[in-house]
Amino acid sequence: MDYSQFLAMRQEIALLVVFLLVFLYDTFMPKKALAATASFSTVLFGLFTVASFLWGNPGEVSAFAGMYQTSATCVAIKNILNVGVLIVLIQSCRWVNGEFMSIRRGEFYELLLVTLFGMYLMISARHFLVFLIGLESASLPLAAMVAFDKNRYESHEAAIKYMLTAVFSSAVFMMGLSFVYGLTGTLYFSEIALQLGNDIDPLLVVALAFVISGVGFKLSLVPFHLWTADVYQGAPTSVTSYFSVISKGAAAFAFLVILVQAFGTFYSTVWEWMLYALIILTITIGNLFAIRQTNMKRFLAFSSISQAGYIMLGVVACNAHGLESMMYYILVYIFSNLAAFGVIGAIENQTGKVLMTDYNGLSKTNPWLAFSMMLAMFSLAGIPPFAGFFSKFFIFNAAISQGSIAIYILVLIALINTIVSLYYYLLVVKAMYISPEEPQIATFRSACTERLGLWICVSGIIALGIVRFFYDSINALGAGLNAPDTITNLLNMIG
Amino acid sequence: MFSNVLIYFVIIPLLMLGGFFLCRDIKQIRAVAVVGSTALLALSIWLLVDYLGLRAAGATAPMLYCDSWTWFAPLHINLAVGVDGISIAMLILSSIIVFAGSFASWKIDDARHFFMWLLLLSTGVFGFFISIDLFTMFMFYEVALIPMYLLIGVWGTGRKEYSAMKLTLMLMGGSAFLMLSLIGIYYHSAADSSQLTWNILEIAANGAITTEWQYFLFPMCFVGFGVLGAMFPFHTWSPDGHACAPTAVSMLHAGVLMKLGGYGCFRVAMYLMPQAANDLAWIFLILTGISVVYGAFSACVQTDLKYINAYSSVSHCGMVLFAILMINTTAMTGAIMQMLSHGLMTALFFALIGMIYGRTHTRDIRLMGGLMQIMPFLGVGYVIAGMASLGLPGLSGFVAEMTIFVGSFEHADMFHRVFTIVACSSIVITAVYILRVVGKLLFGPVQDEHHRSLTDATWWERLSTITLIVSVAAIGCFPNFFESLIKFTFSPELFHAIGM
């Protein structure tokens, strides 16, 4: 066996090292030192993030008989996720350091790092078994994280709901896999594509539907979204923010890889139309339900459902443009959504309030929090000059580059939905800035970690769009592809 | 980048934004507002003089001061700027109104944040007029829309939350269609897919958009901009929005922002898709014809001063789109003149209404009367604005509407003739509602004895009003100058493409 192929997994291995260090620290350090678990883990993860930017890219390598694949694009999406996780960790420091968490600080980080490891595997897997291991290790520990507030009833309820749906969706996914295996006799993505050829078997359509719904659960696409709102509401805010951006980003990328690599030939015949239906449903229903929410976390749950629909536009484009703009969208979405969750978390930690009516008049008592929240809302709604505008524009642009008239209609529906989303995002702005009622939340000074997290997010919201560096770097991943609108080049870019 | 003069139209408002951030008290805020808006005004006048100089020296390019800086190279997005006579006219209009608006908001509450949002709005407006790249144009367009929400919602009066939301959603709804059509234009901008471009001049030169695609994209583009131009039936945001907005915002919004719609229809929809424009003009002619007449009739029955003026804006802005759709040089020149004229005149109206409302605390004409005796300066200003609006020779309205109707009448077929006559009739209706208000408000008996103790305009209000009056009169007295400024820009290709 060639042991050098482990080097291809250097990001995963480094992540495991971080995990082990946190675990050892948590297990063997004296009680006094445990108070510093949060800072220790955050700093360690920060170092890992930097290192992963600097040395994480082994180039395009296929390891373990083609089960594991890495490339500049895979490394880039992992790095994007790392940045998001780092912000989540910074924002959650105060919560972790709270009285309530004192006996299980380390566990939060351990569970989180394990799920991240699972997502890494999902991204790099080129064999369905490896993918399944990634999927499971990304899902099951999350249930424990959701149940972290063990004194809160909602937290338990959310954990059970999440657990059941996650297991159920895995079962559905595996059912689809077994059909695929029955058809082709292999679980390698590339082999599947070769074996399937161009013939449409009815069994294949069913298998694809199962596979799509299995991953759809992870991405909380409608109609597989029913767990989302309850889980988002019940989970501790730090866990919710992790849920909403990181696990979504990883799943979206993995989804693209599976669809393109294993089932790429059936794009226009089978799954393009499935995705159309899913996208329209996801965006529309996510938006319509978001309008009526009064709890901020539920509100963002539905908002993130509809955002997942927009992310899927990058998949449905099925070309390198789509992939680039999807990665860019995920990056921007991480910053915008984490800014919103940062404000919610800061207010919840201070006052325990999470209702939208509690935000009335927030601009008078806590102008900076209100300002950050407003920027987050504008960015999520796609208002220039904030980053969300650019990411939305680029993803629509990428979708249309596919060129059929059907995609124009799809994009038009998505665009009309942005108006609906603007309405409910503006409701938050209205509560904070316009509502004449007395402020519900007294002036307070948030913890320095929370402020640091918000500063990072706000500067991201402002800079990610206007400064061309970020999009250019993502685009550079596909450099050398002369015609970015073919599926072959998309495959080349994924690696 | 900084060697191009146009970019300063965006940089100055942004610097002002930063300046407001650093200000400590209201005096400094006013100082920044005055210095900045004067600088913008001076810059636009200098640009006008320099532009005319260049043209006189024989510059024949369709756009001058062109420059382009790469922004997102993979998507061919550039920050491209350039102006012709029309853009310059719009820039001057915007800077005059920003200048007058700064003085009209002398006493606003929470001035720092008000001016910051106002200047963000102005940044969008100026950026829109200097851009010739569809992406940046659209970005600036949206930048100009969103501050309206907070400006109306926070500083407005009446049903402000409802109006602000309605306005924002309707305008953003328009821009959703617009975005799709702009992306569509981009993907058909060149025959060779590696040469795709967002640059208006290049797209027009390529002329690669096929007729079928034009039929598909043109209506979306025209409606997208038309919403902001208050085209029937998408005008309903306008009366509510204007009625609830604070003075300077109404001025800027009716004066400049609605012109973004007309300008966009002209510059993007008509210019890039002339074939569809020619073939589908009749649909929009009907709609804009309805706007013109319907707006005027609605204004007749309103009792709130701002509603009257808002519906009057619907009518006048409808006239702009109406004239553009006539697709001939005379009518289009008239359309641009009407944009200028309506911008200045309606800003003057809204400024005066704001000043009157600030004193009487009502805008209901039934509760006011005889204001001419009490505040003669504001009264005279109102009469002048009214006369400009109903088209008295010597003021801007006459020049614009005359040109439009002469141009429209050049079409000899029945359809155009009928609609021209119908639209013409709005002039009469305009006279009805203007004279009704002037008679009731200014010359009738004093309705409320408390009004007798009110004071006339302060110096900053006078400055704001006089600036606008002078501009209105300037257009009315020197129409040839403005016409020659605009005329050169009707590039022959537009008409050539549709065989006229």
Side-chain angles (χ1 to χ4, degrees):
Chain A
M1 188 178 168
D2 178 12
Y3 289 98
S4 71
Q5 50 189 335
F6 278 102
L7 272 180
M9 297 186 79
R10 60 181 75 168
Q11 276 183 307
E12 281 80 0
I13 290 169
L15 184 68
L16 279 183
V17 171
V18 172
F19 166 76
L20 282 176
L21 286 176
V22 173
F23 178 72
L24 293 175
Y25 186 94
D26 184 41
T27 317
F28 294 112
M29 285 308 255
K31 263 229 156 95
K32 270 188 185 168
L34 286 184
T37 312
S39 1
F40 175 75
S41 318
T42 311
V43 169
L44 201 57
F45 192 83
L47 292 176
F48 163 69
T49 308
V50 173
S52 156
F53 265 110
L54 294 178
W55 302 294
N57 187 5
E60 197 166 321
V61 186
S62 175
F64 305 107
M67 285 193 175
Y68 177 95
Q69 167 83 39
T70 183
S71 67
T73 314
C74 295
V75 173
I77 189 83
K78 287 174 191 168
N79 281 334
I80 290 176
L81 296 185
N82 284 347
V83 172
V85 172
L86 185 61
I87 300 174
V88 171
L89 291 186
I90 291 173
Q91 282 177 340
S92 60
C93 271
R94 183 175 178 201
W95 172 70
V96 173
N97 281 329
E99 187 77 10
F100 172 74
M101 289 283 290
S102 57
I103 51 162
R104 48 178 180 278
R105 276 186 196 122
E107 290 157 31
F108 173 70
Y109 295 102
E110 288 148 22
L111 290 170
L112 189 143
L113 292 175
V114 170
T115 55
L116 186 63
F117 179 77
M119 290 168 201
Y120 276 16
L121 280 191
M122 281 164 71
I123 290 167
S124 280
R126 295 297 179 268
H127 184 280
F128 270 118
L129 279 183
V130 179
F131 180 82
L132 206 60
I133 293 171
L135 186 74
E136 293 298 335
S137 55
S139 307
L140 300 184
L142 270 175
M145 287 169 75
V146 172
F148 237 82
D149 269 356
K150 75 169 184 185
N151 296 336
R152 266 176 65 229
Y153 170 74
E154 292 91 344
S155 194
H156 296 270
E157 188 194 325
I160 295 294
K161 272 184 184 157
Y162 181 70
M163 191 71 174
L164 290 177
T165 47
V167 171
F168 181 68
S169 71
S170 299
V172 170
F173 184 72
M174 278 189 265
M175 189 72 196
L177 284 195
S178 66
F179 288 169
V180 172
Y181 189 72
L183 279 169
T184 60
T186 177
L187 286 175
Y188 282 103
F189 293 0
S190 48
E191 285 288 313
I192 291 173
L194 283 179
Q195 294 289 330
L196 284 175
N198 285 319
D199 313 322
I200 303 176
D201 194 306
L203 192 59
L204 173 75
V205 178
V206 179
L208 251 174
F210 278 2
V211 167
I212 288 181
S213 45
V215 187
F217 268 106
K218 281 302 282 180
L219 269 168
S220 64
L221 300 178
V222 177
F224 318 114
H225 69 290
L226 294 165
W227 58 276
T228 318
D230 289 339
V231 172
Y232 276 38
Q233 184 187 6
T237 304
S238 305
V239 178
T240 312
S241 54
Y242 179 70
F243 246 108
S244 70
V245 291
I246 312 298
S247 97
K248 206 157 260 192
F253 186 85
F255 198 26
L256 176 83
V257 173
I258 290 182
L259 285 177
V260 172
Q261 286 216 319
F263 306 106
T265 40
F266 303 98
Y267 168 66
S268 55
T269 45
V270 184
W271 57 267
E272 186 188 1
W273 309 104
M274 290 184 181
L275 279 190
Y276 274 33
L278 281 184
I279 290 173
I280 293 174
L281 276 177
T282 304
I283 298 181
T284 314
I285 292 182
N287 275 337
L288 292 181
F289 277 66
I291 292 176
R292 293 184 58 92
Q293 302 306 319
T294 52
N295 181 305
M296 286 301 283
K297 279 157 82 177
R298 281 187 86 84
F299 165 81
L300 278 176
F302 282 106
S303 130
S304 78
I305 290 176
S306 77
Q307 297 282 347
Y310 291 112
I311 293 176
M312 284 297 106
L313 283 175
V315 179
V316 86
C318 199
N319 55 36
H321 260 335
L323 176 60
E324 285 154 14
S325 52
M326 184 179 92
M327 288 169 71
Y328 182 66
Y329 197 98
I330 292 172
L331 176 68
V332 170
Y333 173 64
I334 284 176
F335 278 82
S336 318
N337 225 29
L338 287 183
F341 273 115
V343 175
I344 292 175
I347 288 173
E348 196 190 11
N349 286 337
Q350 183 73 26
T351 63
K353 293 178 175 175
V354 283
L355 295 182
M356 204 189 281
T357 43
D358 295 329
Y359 284 65
N360 286 343
L362 187 69
S363 67
K364 293 182 194 103
T365 52
N366 295 291
W368 274 109
L369 284 182
F371 183 69
S372 317
M373 190 66 161
M374 181 173 68
L375 290 198
M377 292 295 125
F378 282 174
S379 183
L380 286 172
I383 304 285
F386 308 112
F389 169 76
F390 294 87
S391 62
K392 274 224 167 83
F393 196 99
F394 293 169
I395 210 154
F396 290 141
N397 193 28
I400 286 193
S401 73
Q402 188 251 32
S404 69
I405 202 86
I407 208 130
Y408 274 85
I409 312 254
L410 178 71
V411 169
L412 183 63
I413 294 172
L415 273 166
I416 290 171
N417 264 295
T418 60
I419 314 305
V420 182
S421 73
L422 180 66
Y423 170 71
Y424 60 75
Y425 289 128
L426 282 180
L427 285 183
V428 181
V429 177
K430 179 169 119 179
M432 294 186 303
Y433 280 84
I434 299 178
S435 171
E437 280 139 63
E438 279 302 300
Q440 305 284 312
I441 295 164
T443 307
F444 69 90
R445 191 170 166 76
S446 39
C448 63
T449 46
E450 288 166 345
R451 266 178 288 145
L452 175 63
L454 275 181
W455 271 109
I456 296 174
C457 291
V458 166
S459 23
I461 288 174
I462 293 172
L464 284 177
I466 294 177
V467 182
R468 70 175 192 208
F469 169 78
F470 302 97
Y471 184 78
D472 280 0
S473 338
I474 289 176
N475 181 265
L477 299 171
L481 308 178
N482 38 10
D485 44 355
T486 60
I487 198 161
T488 331
N489 278 329
L490 177 57
L491 286 170
N492 286 339
M493 191 173 162
I494 297 169
Chain B
M1 179 165 189
F2 298 105
S3 58
N4 190 300
V5 61
L6 295 178
I7 206 73
Y8 289 95
F9 279 104
V10 175
I11 290 178
I12 293 176
L14 287 178
L15 283 180
M16 287 167 76
L17 261 175
F20 292 127
F21 193 69
L22 299 173
C23 284
R24 285 150 188 262
D25 56 19
I26 179 79
K27 279 191 180 155
Q28 291 180 351
I29 291 171
R30 284 175 191 159
V32 172
V34 169
V35 170
S37 54
T38 316
L40 280 171
L41 188 58
L43 185 63
S44 60
I45 290 172
W46 179 85
L47 184 66
L48 171 69
V49 174
D50 198 52
Y51 173 85
L52 290 175
L54 284 179
R55 283 289 186 223
T60 51
M63 295 263 182
L64 299 184
Y65 308 97
C66 283
D67 240 325
S68 176
W69 304 280
T70 309
W71 198 358
F72 295 101
L75 302 172
H76 307 115
I77 290 172
N78 297 310
L79 182 60
V81 297
V83 286
D84 59 5
I86 301 174
S87 327
I88 289 183
M90 293 298 127
L91 287 171
I92 292 177
L93 170 70
S94 315
S95 49
I96 290 175
I97 290 172
V98 170
F99 179 79
S102 305
F103 283 100
S105 342
W106 205 247
K107 288 272 184 191
I108 194 90
D109 298 332
D110 193 7
R112 180 204 307 273
H113 293 116
F114 179 83
F115 275 112
M116 284 175 90
W117 287 113
L118 194 72
L119 262 296
L120 187 60
L121 197 162
S122 318
T123 312
V125 168
F126 284 116
F128 179 82
F129 286 133
I130 61 170
S131 299
I132 51 171
D133 179 274
L134 289 177
F135 175 83
T136 39
M137 204 172 190
F138 181 71
M139 186 192 79
F140 281 121
Y141 175 83
E142 291 221 328
V143 167
L145 298 189
I146 202 68
M148 292 296 296
Y149 179 74
L150 283 154
L151 285 168
I152 296 178
V154 178
W155 287 274
T157 52
R159 289 203 300 162
K160 55 185 185 179
E161 293 174 24
Y162 164 80
S163 308
M165 189 63 95
K166 185 174 178 181
L167 179 142
T168 316
L169 292 186
M170 285 195 70
L171 295 186
M172 285 308 213
S175 75
F177 287 93
L178 187 57
M179 194 202 258
L180 186 62
S181 82
L182 294 188
I183 296 177
I185 291 175
Y186 167 68
Y187 279 109
H188 297 89
S189 59
D192 174 7
S193 69
S194 63
Q195 301 290 316
L196 297 179
T197 172
W198 297 92
N199 191 307
I200 290 179
L201 297 176
E202 290 172 19
I203 298 173
N206 290 342
I209 312 176
T210 58
T211 314
E212 291 76 32
W213 277 101
Q214 289 192 19
Y215 284 151
F216 179 63
L217 298 172
F218 174 78
M220 284 195 290
C221 192
F222 199 88
V223 167
F225 279 118
V227 174
L228 191 53
M231 183 175 72
F232 180 87
F234 310 110
H235 66 283
T236 52
W237 58 269
S238 148
D240 289 324
H242 287 148
C244 297
T247 305
V249 176
S250 292
M251 288 167 69
L252 210 64
H253 197 250
V256 185
L257 223 58
M258 285 171 87
K259 307 301 166 295
L260 260 60
Y263 180 87
C265 283
F266 171 74
R267 181 74 86 211
V268 180
M270 312 278 292
Y271 186 59
L272 300 183
M273 295 171 281
Q275 189 58 48
N278 193 40
D279 297 347
L280 301 179
W282 63 274
I283 302 174
F284 296 104
L285 263 181
I286 295 176
L287 293 180
T288 52
I290 296 174
S291 288
V292 171
V293 182
Y294 166 82
F297 272 118
S298 301
C300 286
V301 293
Q302 296 296 328
T303 54
D304 183 311
L305 278 176
K306 276 196 163 180
Y307 270 102
I308 295 175
N309 203 34
Y311 276 111
S312 147
S313 289
V314 172
S315 168
H316 282 121
C317 283
M319 202 98 86
V320 172
L321 296 182
F322 181 81
I324 289 175
L325 288 164
M326 287 295 169
I327 321 187
N328 62 39
T329 315
T330 320
M332 281 184 163
T333 311
I336 309 296
M337 300 282 273
Q338 173 79 343
M339 283 197 214
L340 274 182
S341 154
H342 172 258
L344 295 167
M345 163 185 98
T346 207
L348 178 57
F349 260 128
F350 276 121
L352 291 164
I353 293 169
M355 292 164 197
I356 292 172
Y357 177 66
R359 291 173 168 73
T360 61
H361 302 291
T362 177
R363 293 191 307 253
D364 192 328
I365 52 169
R366 290 167 301 185
L367 304 177
M368 291 183 283
L371 294 186
M372 192 59 119
Q373 314 157 25
I374 304 166
M375 26 187 127
F377 181 85
L378 295 183
V380 170
Y382 204 94
V383 173
I384 294 175
M387 294 304 122
S389 182
L390 59 75
L392 189 79
L395 295 171
S396 59
F398 171 74
V399 180
E401 287 175 7
M402 191 66 194
T403 322
I404 288 177
F405 291 123
V406 169
S408 311
F409 228 69
E410 283 177 14
H411 288 273
D413 60 304
M414 196 53 137
F415 176 76
H416 285 94
R417 281 276 155 91
V418 168
F419 267 89
T420 307
I421 293 169
V422 169
C424 252
S425 68
S426 76
I427 296 180
V428 184
I429 313 168
T430 307
V432 172
Y433 65 77
I434 292 291
L435 293 177
R436 164 172 160 262
V437 173
V438 166
K440 182 77 185 53
L441 183 72
L442 303 176
F443 297 108
V446 177
Q447 296 284 332
D448 188 335
E449 287 306 314
H450 298 296
H451 288 174
R452 287 196 189 279
S453 59
L454 297 176
T455 52
D456 204 357
T458 53
W459 69 265
W460 61 84
E461 292 172 337
R462 281 170 201 257
L463 187 61
S464 169
T465 318
I466 287 171
T467 317
L468 293 169
I469 292 178
V470 168
S471 324
V472 170
I475 298 178
C477 299
F478 307 103
N480 280 342
F481 173 76
F482 287 93
E483 204 186 326
S484 62
L485 172 65
I486 296 163
K487 213 167 189 172
F488 184 83
T489 30
F490 284 100
S491 45
E493 302 105 72
L494 173 63
F495 300 106
H496 186 69
I498 50 180
M500 290 183 70

